[in-house]
Amino acid sequence: MTAKAPITQDVMTLPRTLAQEGRVNLVGMTRDQMRDALVAMGTPERQAKMRVGQIWQWIYQWGVRDFAAMTNLAKAYRAQLAEHFVIEIPELVSRQLSTDGTRKYLVRIAGGHEVEVVYIPEEGRGTLCVSSQVGCTLTCSFCHTGTQKLVRNLTAGEIVGQIMMARDDLGEWPEPGAPKDETRLLSNVVLMGMGEPLYNFENVRDAMKIAMDGEGISLSRRRITLSTSGVVPEIARTAREIGCLLAVSFHATTDEVRDKLVPINRRWNIETLLDVLREYPKVSNSERITFEYVMLDGVNDSDEDARRLVRLIAGIPAKINLIPFNEWPGAPYRRSSNNRIRAFADIIYKAGYASPIRTPRGEDIMAACGQLKSATERARKSKREIEAESGLSR
Ligand code: SAH
Ligand code: SF4
């Protein structure tokens, strides 16, 4: 009998060189940007707003990439659009399918860089884990992405393009004109892939605005969760300008430990972070904040940590998501035991908080939280560098 093994496929796509021929990509433009671009092309000012709405629907609701198919626009206008613009999304390089149904995509963006995107099917819903940067400038010591040196911010088009790519792969674009489908394979988006979204604020914001727009991807703002390591000055701005749900990579209950795990804590410590989080639900009108807490054996997983955590977040509408540490080659930590995780969860639960333990998904294809890193990326830090940064010396 053969054991079930994950599947890897190379995906061939057509070479995409159109944008290099001077045509501008429409994907990722804000409504205002597209309006201006259409006016510059010669669209009469009074029509431009309506044209933006029509084009958005074709691109984001029905997944159309060819101007010729936009049948509610005049033929000559379609030809004019095709002369000036392209509709381009990141190129799918390979797709891996886990035995649990999780899909990990490797996509190539301009400049030949690669990022990973993960689709996690669940009962009655499906979540896409989207990347916001190539690598990450931060160096959280338990995170594989943090060991990757190369960084570039993704454009808004490359961020929303990941959602479009996944919808292509899942085959779930509705027929043009069909009523909106309420049950979707891709129903939720989490900005929990590679990168720190709040260090790429404008592009993340513009992409999420398209994801939430009724003429865009049409996901409710409650189905989008942005995860940050704690870029304090941008958190209030996230509430005001995006208004999606927020998750925070908390991971420790003392500054001493958090300084090592999430080095951005040296800049904005636990107290400063909690101050801004207290305001978040009021400003964004959103529900609970998710506190992510990675369970590291002997580092942050004691009963005392659990009790301290509960005391720290008192007064903040919160859910605590316990993430069993996902190992990666050379990682300087081990996952806490199941018993330890359960005991920790129990203390939090008894204090009145939901404390779900996140089931690792797609581990066989290295798709679980914190395992993402482009396999082709050659500039890596050595194990020694990683350990030095984490404050561990072995
Ligand atoms: N940069 C953002 C979002 C990406 S990481 C942030 O840090 O919040 C998504 C989540 O996975 C974060 O909570 C992160 O701390 C966690 N994570 C990173 N590496 C992990 C690992 N090896 N095992 C489990 N969780 C990890
Ligand atoms: Fe960057 Fe988030 Fe990984 Fe930290 S946990 S290195 S912020 S991706």
Side-chain angles (χ1 to χ4, degrees), residues 295 322 324 335-346 357:
M295 298 298 293
L322 299 177
R335 179 184 291 186
S336 309
S337 72
N338 287 346
N339 282 346
R340 183 86 299 272
I341 299 177
R342 258 181 256 126
F344 195 99
D346 207 43
I357 300 169

Side-chain angles (χ1 to χ4, degrees), residues 142-143 192-193 195 227-229 249 251 292 294 323 325-326 369-370:
F142 52 89
C143 173
M192 294 187 187
S227 173
T228 179
S229 58
S249 296
H251 304 324
E292 297 165 282
V294 63
I323 317 175
F325 175 58
N326 295 310
C369 288

Side-chain angles (χ1 to χ4, degrees), residues 133 135-147 192-197 227-229 249 251 261-263 370:
Q133 296 182 310
C136 186
T137 49
L138 300 174
T139 52
C140 303
S141 52
F142 52 89
C143 173
H144 203 202
T145 311
T147 67
M192 294 187 187
M194 297 163 72
E196 167 49 59
S227 173
T228 179
S229 58
S249 296
H251 304 324
L261 298 181
V262 191

Side-chain angles (χ1 to χ4, degrees), residues 180-345:
K180 278 186 198 168
D181 191 355
E182 291 314 322
T183 51
R184 293 200 195 174
L185 293 172
L186 199 171
S187 60
N188 293 63
V189 168
V190 292
L191 283 150
M192 294 187 187
M194 297 163 72
E196 167 49 59
L198 295 189
Y199 274 150
N200 185 14
F201 187 88
E202 281 85 6
N203 289 327
V204 165
R205 176 197 58 203
D206 293 349
M208 291 309 109
K209 290 234 160 205
I210 296 171
M212 294 185 288
D213 195 294
E215 285 178 330
I217 308 277
S218 283
L219 291 172
S220 135
R221 64 183 195 84
R222 290 199 159 77
R223 289 184 174 274
I224 296 178
T225 305
L226 182 152
S227 173
T228 179
S229 58
V231 186
V232 163
E234 304 290 2
I235 289 178
R237 206 173 156 209
T238 305
R240 285 194 308 269
E241 297 182 30
I242 309 178
C244 60
L245 300 185
L246 188 72
V248 175
S249 296
F250 209 63
H251 304 324
T253 60
T254 63
D255 282 324
E256 198 195 344
V257 177
R258 196 163 190 271
D259 278 352
K260 287 182 190 146
L261 298 181
V262 191
I264 202 176
N265 195 68
R266 295 180 203 151
R267 183 113 182 247
W268 295 290
N269 66 12
I270 292 180
E271 197 189 327
T272 321
L273 176 59
L274 288 171
D275 282 346
V276 73
L277 293 179
R278 280 196 191 89
E279 296 302 313
Y280 193 88
K282 286 179 235 159
V283 184
S284 73
N285 205 3
S286 75
E287 296 133 14
R288 295 176 296 179
I289 291 175
T290 301
F291 284 78
E292 297 165 282
Y293 199 96
V294 63
M295 298 298 293
L296 304 170
D297 184 31
V299 175
N300 63 355
D301 62 349
S302 68
D303 285 356
E304 210 190 334
D305 278 306
R307 285 191 286 266
R308 228 181 348 244
L309 178 59
V310 168
R311 280 201 301 275
L312 283 171
I313 64 171
I316 304 178
K319 170 171 106 179
I320 295 152
N321 210 331
L322 299 177
I323 317 175
F325 175 58
N326 295 310
E327 299 194 359
W328 38 272
Y333 301 104
R334 282 194 310 270
R335 179 184 291 186
S336 309
S337 72
N338 287 346
N339 282 346
R340 183 86 299 272
I341 299 177
R342 258 181 256 126
F344 195 99

Side-chain angles (χ1 to χ4, degrees), residues 11-253:
V11 182
M12 292 300 295
T13 44
L14 293 170
R16 294 172 188 276
T17 52
L18 297 175
Q20 289 152 21
E21 287 166 15
R23 285 185 273 180
V24 178
N25 190 10
L26 291 181
V27 177
M29 281 187 184
T30 62
R31 282 175 175 275
D32 284 349
Q33 286 165 347
M34 197 184 289
R35 191 189 161 280
D36 291 349
L38 295 180
V39 170
M41 180 192 83
T43 308
E45 295 241 2
R46 60 192 153 70
Q47 286 179 9
K49 199 172 158 210
M50 185 175 82
R51 296 285 172 252
V52 170
Q54 289 171 315
I55 295 170
W56 270 42
Q57 282 194 310
W58 285 110
I59 297 179
Y60 299 116
Q61 287 191 357
W62 303 322
V64 165
R65 307 279 148 79
D66 181 1
F67 293 107
M70 301 185 174
T71 45
N72 59 356
L73 301 173
K75 250 194 177 154
Y77 191 66
R78 286 183 247 163
Q80 204 187 355
L81 287 171
E83 254 170 55
H84 289 83
F85 302 111
V86 288
I87 302 166
E88 254 186 24
I89 64 167
E91 181 188 354
L92 181 54
V93 178
S94 73
R95 174 205 304 117
Q96 283 176 283
L97 185 60
S98 159
T99 50
D100 71 11
T102 301
R103 298 177 188 208
K104 181 167 86 173
Y105 305 105
L106 184 65
V107 299
R108 190 173 298 139
I109 56 172
H113 304 299
E114 289 169 348
V115 290
E116 294 182 333
V117 189
V118 178
Y119 173 73
I120 307 150
E122 288 161 294
E123 200 58 42
R125 61 187 234 160
T127 301
L128 192 73
C129 182
V130 167
S131 289
S132 56
Q133 296 182 310
V134 184
C136 186
T137 49
L138 300 174
T139 52
C140 303
S141 52
F142 52 89
C143 173
H144 203 202
T145 311
T147 67
Q148 184 171 326
K149 271 180 179 158
L150 180 68
V151 174
R152 122 150 141 67
N153 279 341
L154 299 194
T155 63
E158 288 162 348
I159 298 170
V160 73
Q162 294 170 53
I163 305 176
M164 297 163 69
M165 177 279 302
R167 292 201 92 189
D168 285 354
D169 187 58
L170 295 165
E172 77 159 346
W173 292 109
E175 280 299 309
K180 278 186 198 168
D181 191 355
E182 291 314 322
T183 51
R184 293 200 195 174
L185 293 172
L186 199 171
S187 60
N188 293 63
V189 168
V190 292
L191 283 150
M192 294 187 187
M194 297 163 72
E196 167 49 59
L198 295 189
Y199 274 150
N200 185 14
F201 187 88
E202 281 85 6
N203 289 327
V204 165
R205 176 197 58 203
D206 293 349
M208 291 309 109
K209 290 234 160 205
I210 296 171
M212 294 185 288
D213 195 294
E215 285 178 330
I217 308 277
S218 283
L219 291 172
S220 135
R221 64 183 195 84
R222 290 199 159 77
R223 289 184 174 274
I224 296 178
T225 305
L226 182 152
S227 173
T228 179
S229 58
V231 186
V232 163
E234 304 290 2
I235 289 178
R237 206 173 156 209
T238 305
R240 285 194 308 269
E241 297 182 30
I242 309 178
C244 60
L245 300 185
L246 188 72
V248 175
S249 296
F250 209 63
H251 304 324
T253 60

